[in-house]
Amino acid sequence: TYCLRPKLPCAPRGEWLCPSCVAKHEKQHAATLESQRNLAELDLAAADVMRHKKAHLVLASRSAAAVEAGPGVADAFPFLARDPSVSGKRASPGKLRRDTCVQFLVKFEEESYRRARWVPLWAMRHREPHKLRGHWKRTGASEMDPEAPLDRAAFEHVIPERVVDESDDLDAVLVKWCGLPYDECTWEPRGSFLEVSRERDRDRDGGGAESPRPAAAAARAAED
């Protein structure tokens, strides 16, 4: 009753609610619902960008200067232009530009290094904040200066060393990668590794000595 103007000395009889307080609570409730919708939209978009997979390693980061964070970006990604934690608050142009232009080369769990792909900052911040902080700490890079090149040692991990198993049902082969242990073998489409698979068959049939790294076959497979 004291928030009304003029103030009421006492509440009226019966069921009565202060109109000012009701309007205030309704506004807060609407803001909460909007924030929840924004977060749900952001989560769905980030999961789609990352194909609903969990990041294993962040291999590199860069600033994709070719991506312009202007009205087109805000139109294509409207959830980026809003702060989901504060209803109605708009993201600054600088933050919008960083969210879309800063990208990370991510290797995903149960996928090979060959399948690593670039993921924007906004998706990493939402889905993998711990990986993001670990990458900044390990490389010394930051959102303002994100350039962190790929470690040359990772180039070896895209070269198939041997095929250790095959699946007719999946039409795929289990590939052992150079420089990686056997527990990081991954299933890959059979067509990309035919030569490696044939060399495995020859070794198994006694047609030749097993080679720990079939260089020619690996090079051809790496080019596919």
Side-chain angles (χ1 to χ4, degrees), residues 152-172:
R152 299 295 299 181
F155 282 76
E156 182 183 27
H157 303 332
V158 302
I159 301 175
E161 182 175 320
R162 61 169 60 88
V163 169
V164 297
D165 199 1
E166 302 184 37
S167 171
D168 293 331
D169 293 337
L170 299 175
D171 192 27

Side-chain angles (χ1 to χ4, degrees), residues 80-100:
L80 293 181
R82 300 189 297 268
D83 186 340
S85 63
V86 183
S87 175
K89 184 176 180 181
R90 304 285 295 182
S92 67
K95 182 178 184 300
L96 179 59
R97 185 176 298 108
R98 289 193 301 274
D99 282 353
T100 53

